[in-house]
């Protein structure tokens, strides 16, 4: 009887998450035009990056040195930035942290306490729906940009093992980005305003995730920055998937890095659950 009760509860929970997922898909299809145009506009700054790195590598060649920076040639560098656009499209969670903190502050969180709905599961289903619709619509502008820039990918498609690792790193990057930002939002149970924490996180994320430049460019002196961020979860949000695709991760380290990313993902899932459980124990809501 207890087993039946557990299974029945799980089925009910899955049906609830499916309803949220289905409704979120329908809701986000309304924004299909915005997704397509917004995706295309996000690639426009790449033109500046291409000209900038072209000038840098031409200057290096003019000085008589090998046009190579930390193992990246000119084509590798542009390909890296293109791939980071994909990484960030998976791992970025705009509005998630602020949305959770705002629900806690305004009392909207009460609906998850009085109804049989798991907040984290609901938000996760909504974000999965968002990403699926986004890529369904944005595949056209992505294809156009990558077709026009295909000449920057000198090595072509990676082998099956690297491609599998790349896809896995993107999926886990999505989960890692979601649960890191969910944890920051859940701090709202203790601090009513998390704007400052969010700002610090976004600043660190911008630099240490590899969004701004490949982490291979970090200096080893006077501080070995590469060693400091070797096990940082932030590098898996942008740098790691792109580096996997370009073959910058040594073959013998590839699956070790995948396991480390999985460990970080598991840790933040557990932390999010702890913060939620502890938070609702101290939460007080008043009024209608």
């Amino acid at each position: 009887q207890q087993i039946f009760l557990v299974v029945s509860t799980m089925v009910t929970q899955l049906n609830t998450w499916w309803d949220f997922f289905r409704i979120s898909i329908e809701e986000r299809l309304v924004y299909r035009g915005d997704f397509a145009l917004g995706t295309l506009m996000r690639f426009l700054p790449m033109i500046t990056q291409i000209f900038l790195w072209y000038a840098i590598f031409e200057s290096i060649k003019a000085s008589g040195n090998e046009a190579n920076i930390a193992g990246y040639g000119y084509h590798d560098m542009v390909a890296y930035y293109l791939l980071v656009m994909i990484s960030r499209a998976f791992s970025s969670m705009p509005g998630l942290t602020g949305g959770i903190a705002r629900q806690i502050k305004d009392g909207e969180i009460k609906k998850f306490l009085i109804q049989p709905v798991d907040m984290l599961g609901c938000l996760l289903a909504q974000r999965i729906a968002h990403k699926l619709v986004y890529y369904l619509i944005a595949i056209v502008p992505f294809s156009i940009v990558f077709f026009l820039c295909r000449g920057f990918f000198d090595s072509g498609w990676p082998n099956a093992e690297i491609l599998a690792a790349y896809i896995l790193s993107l999926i886990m990057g999505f989960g890692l980005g979601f649960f890191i930002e969910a944890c920051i939002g859940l701090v709202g149970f203790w601090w009513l305003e998390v704007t400052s924490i969010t700002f610090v996180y976004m600043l660190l994320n911008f630099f240490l995730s590899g969004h701004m430049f490949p982490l291979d460019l970090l200096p080893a002196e006077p501080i070995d920055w590469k060693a400091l961020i070797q096990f940082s979860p932030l590098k898996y949000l942008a740098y790691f998937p792109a580096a996997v695709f370009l073959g910058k991760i040594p073959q013998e380290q590839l699956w070790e890095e995948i396991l480390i990313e999985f460990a970080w993902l598991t840790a933040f899932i557990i932390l999010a659950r702890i913060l939620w459980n502890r938070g609702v124990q101290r939460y007080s809501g008043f009024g209608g």
Side-chain angles (χ1 to χ4, degrees), residues 243-254:
V244 169
F245 191 97
L246 293 174
K248 301 298 181 182
I249 307 297
Q251 193 80 12
E252 62 275 10
Q253 296 180 13
L254 180 58

Side-chain angles (χ1 to χ4, degrees), residues 1-14:
Q1 186 176 3
Q2 289 181 343
I3 295 176
F4 175 78
L5 182 60
V6 170
V7 172
S8 177
T9 303
M10 290 177 61
V11 170
T12 302
Q13 192 71 54
L14 288 173

Side-chain angles (χ1 to χ4, degrees), residues 186-241:
L186 290 170
V187 172
F189 279 116
W190 290 266
W191 296 0
L192 287 180
E193 189 58 65
V194 298
T195 305
S196 297
I197 302 176
T198 305
F199 176 78
V200 172
Y201 167 72
M202 295 305 295
L203 185 64
L204 292 174
N205 187 1
F206 187 71
F207 285 99
L208 300 183
S209 70
H211 186 194
M212 187 175 183
F213 51 79
L215 298 180
D216 306 274
L217 273 61
L218 289 170
E221 295 179 356
I223 300 175
D224 191 351
W225 289 100
K226 286 185 66 176
L228 288 177
I229 65 169
Q230 177 62 28
F231 298 105
S232 165
L234 297 180
K235 78 172 188 178
Y236 297 104
L237 301 180
Y239 164 79
F240 182 67

Side-chain angles (χ1 to χ4, degrees), residues 12-133:
T12 302
Q13 192 71 54
L14 288 173
N15 286 334
T16 302
W17 289 354
W18 169 253
D19 288 337
F20 274 108
F21 176 75
R22 178 178 51 79
I23 294 170
S24 297
I25 287 279
E26 296 172 356
E27 176 188 357
R28 278 154 178 78
L29 281 172
V30 176
Y31 301 101
R32 55 191 181 275
D34 178 67
F35 286 163
L37 182 60
T39 300
L40 198 56
M41 293 300 105
R42 287 187 185 97
F43 279 106
L44 288 182
M46 277 299 304
I47 298 174
T48 304
Q49 293 282 3
I50 290 173
F51 284 126
L52 172 64
W53 285 107
Y54 177 80
I56 292 173
F57 280 98
E58 284 299 308
S59 176
I60 293 173
K61 287 196 293 185
S63 64
N65 297 316
E66 182 183 0
N68 188 290
I69 303 176
Y72 288 80
Y74 169 57
H75 283 191
D76 284 338
M77 195 66 74
V78 176
Y80 173 82
Y81 280 104
L82 288 167
L83 290 167
V84 160
M85 291 289 185
I86 296 180
S87 302
R88 292 296 300 161
F90 271 84
S91 63
S92 64
M93 301 289 158
L96 178 61
T97 297
I100 294 174
R102 186 166 53 252
Q103 288 189 70
I104 296 172
K105 181 180 179 181
D106 296 344
E108 191 180 344
I109 200 80
K110 294 196 298 289
K111 66 185 179 183
F112 294 109
L113 305 181
I114 61 177
Q115 297 177 3
V117 177
D118 174 57
M119 187 195 75
L120 290 174
C122 166
L123 292 176
L124 182 60
Q126 290 177 342
R127 290 290 164 163
I128 292 174
H130 172 85
K131 296 298 183 183
L132 286 177
V133 174

